[in-house]
Structure formats: structure tokens, C-alpha cells
Amino acid sequence: MVKVGVPLKGFADFSRKVAADGAVLLKNDNEFLPFKKGEQIAVFGRCQFEYYRSGTGSGGSVNTEYKTDFINSLIERDFVTIDENLKQVYENWLEQNPFDNGGGGWAAEPWSQAEMPLTDEIETTGNKAIVVIGRTAGEDKDNLATAGSYYLTDDELSMIEFAKSRFDKVGIVLNVGNIINMANFDADMIIYAWHGGMEGGNAIVDVLVGDVNPSGKLPNTIAEHIDDYPSTINHGGTEQNIYQEDIYIGYRYFETFGKNKVMYPFGFGLSYTTFDIKNITGTQTETGIKVFCEVQNTGTYSGKEVVQVYAQLPQANLGKPAKTLVGFVKTGLLAPNETQNICIEVLNYTIASYDDSGITGYKSAYVLEDGEYIFHVGNSIRNTEIALKYFIAETRVIEQCQEAMAPTQSFTRMRPFGNCVAYENVPTKTVDLAQRIEENISSQIEITGDVGIKLVDVTAGKNTIEEFVAQLTIEDLQTIVRGEGMSHPQVTPGTASAFGGVTNHLRSLGIPLMCTADGPSGLRMESGLKSTQLPIGTLLASTWDAPLIEQLYEMEGQELKSNYVDVLLGPGLNIHRSPLNGRNFEYFSEDPLLTGKMSSAIVRGISAGGAIATLKHFACNSQETYRHDINSVVSERAIREIYLKGFEIAVKEGNAKSIMTAYNPINGIWTASNYDLNTTILRNEWKFDGLVMTDWWARMNDCVTGGEGTRENVASMVKSQNDVYMVVGNYGAENNENNDNLSRNLEEGKSGCGRCSPFLFCFLKITK
Ligand code: BGC
């Protein structure tokens, strides 16, 4: 009999490898790293003891059997000598100045902790110093562009200066969930260790002592000032954020308009060895391109390199970023002198741009515009060589879609004009959504009453899903779209929800009671049961190693299965639109391709392990403040090319079976009841055949007319083909504890109510 709360053997050890592979070394002067055997190291900063394993909120709440920190991992390694006196001074001070959790509650915990004032009397010894800087943020808690959050505090800056006054060589370890401002401090060595989960302390020591050669690359651009990020001016609103920067997020903006504002470019990261990416060539194929190169380790340490392919697309009717990531591969561990041949294939669809205005002559289509196409290959966005160039004489349609989710409100968006930023009007909605829904609505199924068909009969192919659904009563149909939670007594203790067979009658038809749990970085069980805590999403993305992440999440799938959890509420795929978003740690990158590839790996891994991943938060959940209200006003092009692209890749390549909508509205329609999002694009265009659920206690508004979002409007959720409302109280689904409007709307004869999406049943059918 499998016991719940018993972490999978070997899983934490594997997570340590991943955590080490995601560390990004930005600077390494004066032979700072790797440490040499017997060197004397002084360590500053309280986070050497109080290592941040994760950000805060649902994504960070994993109970582990143990945790690691930096200083104890370093001592246990017995490789260098640490400054015991300094350690003791810190320990004494920490006794008097314990960790401040803000009084309890996720959002109460401060982004950082007070640092010990360093006075002249403190004696230090050693030849090198490490300063550990820590930051957290999370659910309901955005970062702020203030000291202690995005910026270092005066005490932290003084600590770095103090270390420099005592030591010739100083390095900084950043134990942060998110990029921070780096313009006002410097050191010989700077490494982003991120939040590495329960084994993060060991992992960063593995890198520092040279057991692991760093191979992480930045998943974001680090610019000098927060105001350099084009989203900053439109981030943090209370009612709406206008995505005026459009598709020019992160490097797409900086490489096009502001190269000199960049401190550390996208895709950049150092190694202890050197690589030569050579014999770079490329060829056009029927479906896209292929690039070839050889990667040779030309240094003295074994190491891994990431080969990145960027497209330079023609500036034509549609504006384009100067460079767009279209492919990447990480090498294996190459010994000195060893060479690996690399081939990367890129589909035309990945290169194509979406025309939301019709300016190319092909409205609502992915197109390759006429002009010159240049493909660059290298190991960061800035360090590349040309692999291939060709011309397209006439604009080609790669995929014809239909207008969906277009804004209703007029605004202007960024586009290049020469090297300058120009603005153009954003195309607004032209379709009649009411008519679209009416035309697409599936035919009504006559209720037959119970004719003895069980769900297993559908799985076995004896009956159709429609015949099965026809047996359900109106009450069953209304009940099954309500999930119950949290900490449901009939599923694994302390998890997020139970759904599906929430009543005896539904279960009697063979509909299982399914269990969901947070995610994404390990299994959250508020009951105190233990599980394995993994590195955060941003660290995973920094590995650029999809096969490695797939292996990691196969183990996560096994751990979920052994805990009787069917569905993990992760990965989180939202784009890092602003460095200030508090939940960036759970998400991957400013780039949708990297996001999509990582998510696909996670989805496949979890599925191979025996459970199901949920892509969240679908979509444009770019800030935590006012997350239930804030309307994301975005062009259809940016929605499709940036904000939905990761989800699309995970659906098409990862074969994702579960998605959670976000809290916020997009262009006036809450995502939980957004028909174009959940049906036109997700189900009809991408052919998604799994389950959609809302985020917990989400709001919905009318999917046609808009208006205020409420928790009662479950009818609109159903109409948009979002399957399950998460959550009503435990045992509250049958009696409509939340007083939602399903039966009221049915009585009033409004269409779409009392109708249950067959997708929910398909989902149950494939999962059990
Ligand atoms: C979060 C989700 C999470 C859910 C269940 C919500 O507040 O936004 O990401 O999965 O709670 O814990």
C-alpha cells in the first residue's frame, strides 16, 4: 500500500542537479570561481542561513522533510575554509533579529529582511568574500521599484562595500525569484542562484566549488533602470493596464529600440570553460528552416553550452522586433576539446507574424511578409553569427485564423519606424460575438434519464459520450461544473480541490472524484504532509534544457500519483511582462518560445509520471495587485504572438490536457468566461480536447456584453466552455452553496445554461 506524504526517493537529488544547471553566472573576474581547494572564504548576508527556497503564495507552499542553506552546505562540502568568526557574529545577531514573516499570511511577508550592520570591530579573515542577497515576492505581492524589493537597500549596499574594504575579491550570490536592479552595485563575481527549492543551498555550492560548471542563460533582459522596460509606464494600474508596448516585450524591445540600455542581454550566461560555435550554416526546407553548427569545448573544464537561433524578419507592413528567438538546444556535457553537432529545425509557423489589421492583405492570418529573412546563431542574443539569409518575394499566408479577443477600446501601440519608437492605432473588434456563439453552439442533447451507461462504457467504446451525458439530470449537470475545496475531506489531505464525482449519484455513474493540488514547484499539501520542493520556474527556464526539465517533472508526476493527486496546478506560463510582477518566480521568461518549450517538457513529464499538468493562468495575468479586477487591454497580435503563444506550444507540442483561466479580464471580458479565449482559440483553433477550470473563486462576466465580473455568473463560464468553477465549499456543489446563476438562468430560458461541456467528460474518461 502506497503511503501519502512520502517523498519520492531520488527526486530531491535530481532537483539539485537542475537547480545547479539553472544558475546564471553573469560575471567572473579575477579568477573568482570556481573556488580552489582550501581557499578561505568569508560569507556575508543573513540569507546564507535563511535561504529562500521559493517565492510566496500557493506556488511556494511545499512542506519538505528538510531544507538546505548556503553556509551549511558550504561547510558540509569541506572544500574551502569559511570565516568562523564572521559566521558566529551573524548567528549571534540572528538570534536577536529573527526572520520577519510580517505577522503571517503570504502577502504580509516582506520582500527582504534587515541586514546586520557591519562595524569596524568585526574581525574577518580569508582571501575572498561572498555576499548573499535574498529577495522574495509572490501571490498577491508584486515587487515595487523601491529599496528592499527591486533595488538593494542601503544596508545591503554597505555590506558589499564593507566586504570590498576587507577583501580583494568579492562575489555576489543572488538568491532571488526575479531579476533585480543591478545598476548600482558591482563585484568580481555575480551569479543568479535564483530560488532553487529544497536542494538550492547544495546546488549553488556545487557550482561555486566547481562540481558543476554553470550553464544557465538569462531568460530575461537585465536593463539598467526599471523605467527602461517599456511596460513600466503601464504596469500597476488599479482598473486597467494598456499593453502599449504590444509585442515589444523584453529583448524584443531592447534589441529594436534600446540596445544601450541593456546591462546583461537575453540568453547570456558564462561558463568556466569556453566554447566555439563553428561551421554555422542553414538551409530552407519545405516547412521552414534548418540550421547546423558544431559546438566545441575549447577550454579546460567540461561544460554545456546553449545554441540559440534568432530570426531577423523584414520590417514591412507589420513592424517586427530586431530579433526573435525561434529555436534553441543545449549540448550535452562536453569534455575539453569535445565537439557536438547540432541541428535545429524551425517551422515557418514559428517565424510567422500575426496580422490583426489586414495591412498585409491577409487579416487574421499568420503571414510571412515579403522581404529578407536572416537567421542568427550564437550563445546569447548579442553574440551571434549569420547562418542563413533568403528573400521571400510575395507575402505568404501560413495559417488563416479568425479574429478573436480583439480590443473594443481604441489605443495606440508601439512599432518601429527606422530605429525609433512610433505608434499606430490598434485594430478593434469587428466580429459579432453573440452571432458567433449562436452559430457554434452544439445541438441540445435530449435527457434520457439513467439508462445504465457507466463512464467506463464510454472509455471502452460501447457508448458515446453524448449517450452518457444524456442520462444526467439538470441538477447533475449544474453540480458537475462546480469544484469543491480547499482541503476536501475525500481526497488527499490539504490539497486545492476535488471535482468530477462530487456527489454519490455522479460517482454511481462511474465519474471519479478527482484531486487537484498546487504547483508548480512541488506538491502543496496544507495538511503538513511532506513532498519534494523543486526550483522555481524562472530557474528552470534558465537551464534552457527541456529534456532535463521533462525528466524532473516525470518524477513530479510519480510523486503526484503516489499521493493520489490527479492534477497538478502548474506550470505557470505567464510572460514576464514586467520585472515587478510578484509571481514571475513561478513563470519562465519574457519570451514565449522558451516558455512554451519548458511548459511542454513539464506537461509531457508529468503525464509520463502518471498525472496531469495544468497550464495557468490563461492569460495576461501580468500583475498581482488588483489581480481580480485589472483589465489587460491588449492587441490581438500581442495576445497571440506573446501572451498565448506559450500555452499554444504546450497544447500542440506538449499535448496539455488541463488549463486554468486567470483572474483578470482581457479587453473587458473576464478570462473565466471568455468565449474567444476558451472556445474560438483554445478548442476550435488549437484543437484542445481537455479540461478548462477557473482560478480559485474567480469572477466572470457576460461573455458577449461584458459588464462587471461576479462569482455568481457560472452560466457565462459554461457558455464560454470553461468546464469547472473552482471552488465552492466542500459538499457545497450539489446545494449550490455559492448561489450561482445556473438554475436561475435556466428558468429564464437563457441559452447556454444548464448545458454541460462534454469536454469535462472526455477529460475524466481519458484520465481514469
Ligand atoms: C492561485 C492559483 C492556485 C489556486 C489554488 C489561486 O489563488 O492564483 O495559482 O493554483 O489559488 O491554490
Side-chain angles (χ1 to χ4, degrees):
M1 168 81 185
V2 194
K3 275 212 203 122
V4 292
V6 180
L8 183 73
K9 239 175 152 226
F11 190 18
D13 288 346
F14 195 80
S15 81
R16 170 177 172 173
K17 282 192 199 157
V18 176
D21 269 12
V24 185
L25 181 62
L26 293 185
K27 203 174 165 196
N28 190 22
D29 294 344
N30 293 328
E31 298 188 328
F32 195 93
L33 290 181
F35 290 154
K36 294 178 192 68
K37 178 93 184 139
E39 272 191 309
Q40 291 188 303
I41 312 289
V43 187
F44 291 87
R46 72 183 298 155
C47 291
Q48 61 180 298
F49 300 93
E50 293 166 350
Y51 176 84
Y52 285 111
R53 290 174 286 155
S54 172
T56 52
S58 59
S61 307
V62 179
N63 296 307
T64 55
E65 282 183 329
Y66 65 90
K67 53 191 179 185
T68 59
D69 63 48
F70 180 71
I71 190 73
N72 288 304
S73 297
L74 194 60
I75 293 168
E76 276 162 28
R77 196 61 51 90
D78 199 18
F79 186 80
V80 293
T81 312
I82 63 128
D83 181 343
E84 283 293 346
N85 177 57
L86 184 59
K87 176 177 176 251
Q88 191 59 57
V89 173
Y90 266 105
E91 279 172 337
N92 295 346
W93 184 80
L94 283 174
E95 262 177 37
Q96 306 303 316
N97 297 275
F99 188 87
D100 171 16
N101 71 359
W106 296 335
E109 186 179 324
W111 299 282
S112 59
Q113 301 286 317
E115 274 301 342
M116 180 174 83
L118 292 159
T119 53
D120 287 347
E121 303 82 68
I122 297 176
E123 287 176 18
T124 52
T125 49
N127 59 333
K128 282 180 185 169
I130 285 281
V131 180
V132 185
I133 301 283
R135 282 290 180 282
T136 193
E139 197 165 337
D140 261 330
K141 178 110 181 166
D142 279 326
N143 297 290
L144 284 186
T146 53
S149 181
Y150 183 63
Y151 292 94
L152 296 199
T153 61
D154 288 345
D155 283 348
E156 287 168 332
L157 292 169
S158 308
M159 173 165 67
I160 297 172
E161 288 315 309
F162 184 90
K164 283 185 183 169
S165 71
R166 295 286 179 92
F167 298 88
D168 288 344
K169 298 180 180 187
V170 175
I172 298 178
V173 170
L174 295 170
N175 173 208
V176 296
N178 201 359
I179 54 171
I180 58 168
N181 182 271
M182 308 201 44
N184 57 354
F185 65 92
D186 200 7
D188 300 294
M189 187 282 294
I190 301 175
I191 191 163
Y192 268 83
W194 306 114
H195 295 165
M198 64 190 290
E199 279 287 345
N202 280 331
I204 191 63
V205 170
D206 289 341
V207 173
L208 266 52
V209 302
D211 285 353
V212 174
N213 185 351
S215 61
K217 305 281 178 183
L218 281 179
N220 289 322
T221 311
I222 299 184
E224 255 175 71
H225 301 292
I226 190 66
D227 291 336
D228 294 337
Y229 291 89
S231 57
T232 303
I233 192 168
N234 283 305
H235 173 86
T238 55
E239 285 169 14
Q240 65 172 25
N241 285 328
I242 298 190
Y243 288 38
Q244 208 169 13
E245 72 286 350
D246 208 49
I247 59 168
Y248 300 94
I249 287 292
Y251 72 78
R252 284 171 165 77
Y253 171 81
F254 290 109
E255 297 305 305
T256 316
F257 305 111
K259 277 187 128 172
N260 57 357
K261 294 174 177 166
V262 174
M263 288 189 71
Y264 296 101
F266 180 79
F268 173 77
L270 298 171
S271 163
Y272 299 153
T273 190
T274 47
F275 294 97
D276 192 7
I277 304 182
K278 55 188 186 180
N279 296 330
I280 297 172
T281 57
T283 174
Q284 251 186 298
T285 65
E286 293 245 305
T287 51
I289 62 151
K290 272 184 188 168
V291 299
F292 307 91
C293 65
E294 292 167 21
V295 183
Q296 185 180 16
N297 183 346
T298 51
T300 50
Y301 289 86
S302 294
K304 301 177 192 171
E305 179 61 300
V306 179
V307 179
Q308 305 163 31
V309 185
Y310 294 94
Q312 184 184 335
L313 308 172
Q315 292 295 352
N317 289 307
L318 296 172
K320 312 275 179 9
K323 275 184 185 167
T324 306
L325 181 75
V326 292
F328 62 91
V329 150
K330 192 166 196 171
T331 66
L333 188 69
L334 299 179
N337 259 323
E338 195 179 340
T339 300
Q340 184 175 338
N341 293 339
I342 299 284
C343 168
I344 299 176
E345 201 169 348
V346 182
L347 295 178
N348 280 329
Y349 186 66
T350 308
I351 305 164
S353 308
Y354 186 80
D355 181 1
D356 56 1
S357 68
I359 193 164
T360 65
Y362 303 100
K363 184 169 161 32
S364 312
Y366 277 97
V367 294
L368 292 179
E369 278 195 280
D370 59 302
E372 187 176 32
Y373 288 72
I374 307 177
F375 294 88
H376 305 256
V377 171
N379 68 352
S380 83
I381 198 162
R382 287 284 170 91
N383 185 28
T384 58
E385 266 180 47
I386 292 177
L388 172 70
K389 277 185 187 189
Y390 56 81
F391 279 92
I392 292 186
E394 241 180 81
T395 298
R396 283 165 55 190
V397 173
I398 299 300
E399 187 168 317
Q400 182 64 54
C401 307
Q402 43 180 328
E403 180 192 305
M405 299 181 76
T408 49
Q409 131 187 19
S410 303
F411 63 104
T412 57
R413 65 176 169 194
M414 202 176 268
R415 66 158 294 151
F417 190 85
N419 288 334
C420 296
V421 174
Y423 288 91
E424 66 184 11
N425 289 328
V426 172
T428 48
K429 182 171 163 227
T430 62
V431 293
D432 181 341
L433 198 57
Q435 193 187 339
R436 174 176 286 177
I437 297 174
E438 207 40 55
E439 281 168 9
N440 285 342
I441 216 144
S442 50
S443 53
Q444 299 271 4
I445 300 172
E446 277 306 314
I447 292 180
T448 57
D450 193 340
V451 293
I453 304 168
K454 306 285 180 213
L455 192 57
V456 68
D457 298 324
V458 181
T459 319
K462 285 196 220 149
N463 294 92
T464 64
I465 194 74
E466 287 76 15
E467 286 166 342
F468 177 77
V469 173
Q471 303 177 105
L472 301 189
T473 65
I474 293 287
E475 288 70 33
D476 288 335
L477 291 168
Q478 291 177 10
T479 303
I480 201 166
V481 298
R482 301 177 187 130
E484 296 180 347
M486 307 177 72
S487 294
H488 199 284
Q490 291 170 305
V491 294
T492 306
T495 52
S497 74
F499 72 98
V502 286
T503 61
N504 289 337
H505 182 235
L506 289 170
R507 281 196 296 278
S508 75
L509 294 166
I511 297 172
L513 185 64
M514 308 273 291
C515 172
T516 76
D518 284 305
S521 309
L523 174 44
R524 171 185 176 207
M525 293 178 287
E526 287 293 314
S527 51
L529 288 171
K530 304 281 193 283
S531 62
T532 309
Q533 187 167 32
L534 308 182
I536 58 169
T538 307
L539 185 153
L540 303 181
S542 304
T543 68
W544 292 62
D545 193 344
L548 181 80
I549 303 309
E550 187 166 335
Q551 264 181 288
L552 180 77
Y553 272 84
E554 181 167 349
M555 297 180 99
E556 177 66 43
Q558 289 164 3
E559 195 167 287
L560 290 163
K561 192 175 178 191
S562 68
N563 282 287
Y564 302 99
V565 174
D566 304 282
V567 181
L568 183 78
L569 304 174
L573 276 77
N574 298 86
I575 292 295
H576 290 176
R577 174 175 181 250
S578 163
L580 301 181
N581 182 14
R583 286 185 95 171
N584 277 352
F585 78 95
E586 291 183 60
Y587 309 145
F588 299 103
S589 166
E590 65 189 23
D591 180 75
L593 183 86
L594 184 56
T595 298
K597 296 285 178 186
M598 289 297 142
S599 309
S600 302
I602 290 178
V603 171
R604 284 192 299 263
I606 291 186
S607 154
I612 290 156
T614 303
L615 312 178
K616 72 184 185 185
H617 309 90
F618 194 49
C620 293
N621 171 211
S622 305
Q623 77 174 45
E624 284 300 293
T625 317
Y626 301 104
R627 62 181 173 151
H628 290 269
D629 313 271
I630 190 84
N631 184 22
S632 297
V633 181
V634 205
S635 78
E636 186 188 352
R637 180 176 178 197
I639 290 175
R640 286 177 176 273
E641 285 190 23
I642 305 290
Y643 295 99
L644 296 191
K645 193 52 81 181
F647 292 93
E648 179 180 354
I649 295 170
V651 166
K652 290 180 176 172
E653 293 180 19
N655 197 17
K657 290 290 174 219
S658 172
I659 293 190
M660 181 196 295
T661 49
Y663 280 134
N664 51 286
I666 301 177
N667 293 329
I669 308 290
W670 263 262
T671 57
S673 57
N674 196 312
Y675 182 86
D676 269 350
L677 179 68
N678 299 319
T679 297
T680 310
I681 295 181
L682 177 64
R683 299 191 191 279
N684 294 352
E685 200 179 290
W686 301 350
K687 310 285 177 239
F688 176 78
D689 63 357
L691 173 93
V692 188
M693 66 181 82
T694 71
D695 199 345
W696 270 231
W697 307 286
R699 283 159 57 189
M700 285 97 18
N701 61 351
D702 189 289
C703 53
V704 176
T705 57
E708 200 39 48
T710 66
R711 288 181 178 171
E712 288 77 47
N713 202 349
V714 177
S716 191
M717 175 201 89
V718 171
K719 195 166 173 179
S720 81
Q721 300 205 79
N722 190 344
D723 297 303
V724 180
Y725 183 77
M726 297 287 191
V727 286
V728 301
N730 295 328
Y731 304 114
E734 194 170 16
N735 63 11
N736 189 16
E737 184 197 81
N738 268 22
N739 194 23
D740 68 38
N741 64 354
L742 283 174
S743 58
R744 288 199 297 282
N745 271 37
L746 194 67
E747 278 157 24
E748 288 164 19
K750 291 192 185 152
S751 68
C753 314
R755 192 191 284 272
C756 188
S757 162
F759 296 100
L760 175 58
F761 297 97
C762 293
F763 180 77
L764 293 166
K765 182 177 73 163
I766 52 164
T767 54
K768 287 279 162 160

